């Protein structure tokens, strides 16, 4: 039996049922211990399992997590079992890259000003539009997501400089630098984009000195984690116009409280952690599920993609 | 002597003077008959010459028009002389394609809603974001500009269908159709984008029937000419939700008067004919000028690019 602890759209359920007509499938918006005891495969968003539930997993062989985040899973307890845990890492790549390009192009082509003039019923042709082609972008964290952004930026004629811990080559980067070359390289970039995760090394990686080193024309985008830069450092850099504009999808404190001064900064776009959202999210997740289900039924457990390393937690 | 009937930025003038140190260059924001009489090369935006000025072109060999529009030039009179007329056709390609992609991505990734929630100090994560990859775009007029848009759309994984009079192949189009197949093809597209010029065949090409044939999810963009569709037809289609959203950079009446109902349509972006604007416009124009100036000085008049066909007016 396959147990979904959420209730997908009717069209997606129909598609699953046609894909595996022999299977008994239960959809329920909570974790029920009886169902759990019967389930061979569990499909979850990864936020509903507790260590307590471990006792009710008598038949469970595979947990498919239809999200990238697994930090709320009972990883240590699962590590003591033979249960395979896999997720949908990389599923955010396309929607996130589209969001990042949307914000970059919106800034370069003056969309916020165009929208404001429309609200005022003004036909104002003097806009501060710039061309993106020929710009240089520095991408902090050129992994699967950052490289997809690099690919699209290169299509627009943007020079891409990737930056990671070691400076080792990454896809769609014209050049690579290591974290310790960051301060020297920042003045060359007009776009500084981070998709870094939060780790000991990336927490508060960007300091006031980094913002002072940036070109005053710089567009800074943070689509990784909010603790890359302290909020007061970012506010200072924007108020002092050390950089021209910033777009943040992530913040030190989320949700951002309604009295946060960030909402009112004229040179900041507050994006409420939505860059990875997509109407096609579950559709994509289920495509990954179906592919892996085929491997599972054949007994090719090694072929199941995105298996979680339960010791390291990623 | 080279006579500019406008006054470029100091850095651009300096660059020109370093490029051709031997040349006498005059910059003046009007057409002075004495200067015109002495000039061998005239550089103009193309809106300041009258048939009267023809008498004062005793030494003129080449008119470089630093714009794409030449409809205000005394073309018939120039056609009776040996003067070469060339312009900067194609210069709008990159900024226009960037603007179009900006608006498409902004719509797909919910930027207007993100901006509105920020103004309201709301952290609202429920956004109607869609993924652009996998969409199908129908491009009316896949010439130099439309094909550049096709190239970028393909980079985002969009299927491109080009549409021109004959249906003959164009660059970066996965498929081509002719104008007479339009009505049958519209239901397949989620994006309908026009960059068509205004001609007898394209004027009011899109009728109420075309909008009714479109998918209700359609994003329609007009970046060609405002008379592609009658304003009342567009308003009706948007009010009746026959299509989901429209972005117009061009209108039947420009400037759009401040009491136009278009400004208040919730599913329309009014862009005040700014898609081709760029801080690098003159820089690009002068790059074309310098390249052609080399040909001119060598006597390679045939090599001068974008020579205007004075009989046809393009």
């Amino acid at each position: 039996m396959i147990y979904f602890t959420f209730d997908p759209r009717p069209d997606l359920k129909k598609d699953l049922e046609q894909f595996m007509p022999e299977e008994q499938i239960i959809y329920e918006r909570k974790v029920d211990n009886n169902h759990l005891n019967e389930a061979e495969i569990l499909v979850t968003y990864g936020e509903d399992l507790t260590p307590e539930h471990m006792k009710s997993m008598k038949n469970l062989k595979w947990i498919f997590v239809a999200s990238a985040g697994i930090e709320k899973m009972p990883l240590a307890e699962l590590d003591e079992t033979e249960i395979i845990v896999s997720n949908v890492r990389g599923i955010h790549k396309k929607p996130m890259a589209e969001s990042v390009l949307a914000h970059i192009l919106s800034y370069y082509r003056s969309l916020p000003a165009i929208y404001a003039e429309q609200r005022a019923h003004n036909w104002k042709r003097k806009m501060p539009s710039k061309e993106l082609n020929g710009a240089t972008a520095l991408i902090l964290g050129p992994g699967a997501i950052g490289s997809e952004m690099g690919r699209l930026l290169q299509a627009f004629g943007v020079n891409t400089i990737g930056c990671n811990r070691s400076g080792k080559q990454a896809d769609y980067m014209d050049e690579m630098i290591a974290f310790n070359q960051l301060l020297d390289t920042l003045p060359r970039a007009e776009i500084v984009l981070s998709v870094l995760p939060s780790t000991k090394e990336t927490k508060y990686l960007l300091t006031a000195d980094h913002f002072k080193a940036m070109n005053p024309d710089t567009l800074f985008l943070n689509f990784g984690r909010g603790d890359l830069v302290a909020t007061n450092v970012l506010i200072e850099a924007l108020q002092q116009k050390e950089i021209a504009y910033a777009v943040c999808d992530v913040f030190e404190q989320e949700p951002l409280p309604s009295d946060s001064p960030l909402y009112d900064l004229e040179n900041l776009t507050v994006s409420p952690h939505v860059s990875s959202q997509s109407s096609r999210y579950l559709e994509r997740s289920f495509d990954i599920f179906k592919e892996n289900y085929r491997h599972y039924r054949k007994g090719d457990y090694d072929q199941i993609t995105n298996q979680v390393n339960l010791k390291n937690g990623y």
Side-chain angles (χ1 to χ4, degrees), chain A:
Chain A
M1 186 267 272
I2 306 186
Y3 179 24
F4 285 69
T5 62
F6 55 95
D7 195 21
R9 290 202 313 263
D11 59 315
L12 294 173
K13 287 202 280 196
K14 197 176 161 194
D15 178 73
L16 283 171
E17 284 147 24
Q18 285 173 346
F19 173 74
M20 39 192 195
E22 320 275 283
E23 286 286 354
Q24 191 202 349
I25 310 180
I26 288 176
Y27 308 99
E28 195 169 61
R29 285 175 199 262
K30 63 181 171 74
V31 186
D32 175 287
N33 281 326
N34 292 329
H35 291 325
L36 200 54
N37 257 327
E38 285 171 44
E40 181 182 353
I41 301 172
L42 177 73
V43 182
T44 164
Y45 281 129
E47 301 189 333
D48 49 9
L49 284 187
T50 64
E52 290 304 298
H53 289 127
M54 299 298 298
K55 295 171 211 150
S56 311
M57 294 181 172
K58 294 206 166 50
N59 293 295
L60 202 66
K61 301 251 167 40
W62 176 28
I63 301 177
F64 179 82
V65 185
S67 106
I70 49 151
E71 56 265 23
K72 294 188 182 164
M73 300 270 290
L75 299 175
E77 290 80 0
L78 284 164
D79 192 31
E80 290 168 17
T81 72
E82 294 294 307
I83 298 169
I84 298 165
V85 179
S86 76
N87 69 358
V88 291
R89 263 199 306 282
I91 201 173
H92 299 306
K93 188 172 84 165
K94 297 222 173 244
M96 277 191 75
E98 291 181 5
S99 280
V100 161
L101 267 291
H103 283 285
I104 291 174
L105 285 162
S106 177
Y107 173 72
Y108 271 79
R109 305 308 296 159
S110 308
L111 267 52
I114 289 171
Y115 298 144
E117 297 301 334
Q118 176 174 356
R119 287 195 296 275
H121 285 219
N122 269 347
W123 182 269
K124 186 184 162 191
R125 297 197 63 205
K126 208 156 172 58
M127 293 280 171
S129 297
K130 300 194 290 182
E131 289 186 44
L132 179 58
N133 68 89
T136 294
L138 180 62
I139 294 138
L140 293 158
I145 294 171
S147 293
E148 173 67 4
M149 294 169 187
R151 185 182 71 78
L152 292 169
L153 286 166
Q154 285 185 339
F156 281 91
V158 173
N159 307 307
T160 55
I161 306 173
C163 177
N164 55 24
R165 193 170 51 172
S166 61
K168 75 162 195 287
Q169 194 50 47
D171 290 342
Y172 300 107
M173 297 296 139
D174 294 316
E175 190 184 330
M176 284 299 302
I177 61 162
F179 282 162
N180 62 16
Q181 297 166 274
L182 190 52
L183 210 51
D184 291 338
T185 311
L186 284 170
R188 289 167 49 203
E190 287 146 65
I191 298 167
V192 176
L193 162 62
S194 174
V195 283
L196 286 168
S198 178
T199 68
K200 260 183 283 181
E201 281 171 307
T202 63
K203 192 169 180 176
Y204 304 130
L205 178 72
L206 293 188
T207 64
D209 286 344
H210 290 96
F211 285 93
K212 288 187 209 311
M214 290 182 201
N215 191 315
D217 286 339
T218 297
L219 169 63
F220 169 69
L221 303 102
N222 190 3
F223 283 68
R225 282 293 175 259
D227 60 9
L228 176 77
V229 48
T231 304
N232 62 325
V233 168
L234 179 65
I235 290 176
E236 178 78 5
L238 288 167
Q239 282 178 340
Q240 299 303 316
K241 309 269 160 70
E242 289 166 3
I243 62 171
Y245 202 91
V247 182
C248 293
D249 191 55
V250 290
F251 299 87
E252 278 198 286
Q253 187 184 359
E254 291 182 20
L256 197 64
S258 62
D259 62 353
S260 167
L262 293 173
Y263 285 113
D264 291 322
L265 287 174
E266 56 170 8
N267 51 354
L268 172 72
T269 293
V270 173
S271 170
H273 208 143
V274 292
S275 67
S276 63
Q277 286 188 11
S278 162
S279 52
R280 289 168 57 197
Y281 180 85
L282 258 193
E283 185 187 325
R284 284 179 173 284
S285 294
F286 287 179
D287 286 345
I288 299 173
F289 174 77
K290 289 191 287 185
E291 184 192 324
N292 287 319
Y293 175 83
R294 281 198 200 96
H295 298 312
Y296 176 83
R297 276 287 166 243
K298 282 188 204 158
D300 294 338
Y301 304 130
D302 288 357
Q303 301 284 308
I304 293 176
T305 55
N306 304 324
Q307 292 197 34
V308 174
N309 181 323
L310 295 165
K311 286 200 173 46
N312 298 340
Y314 59 80

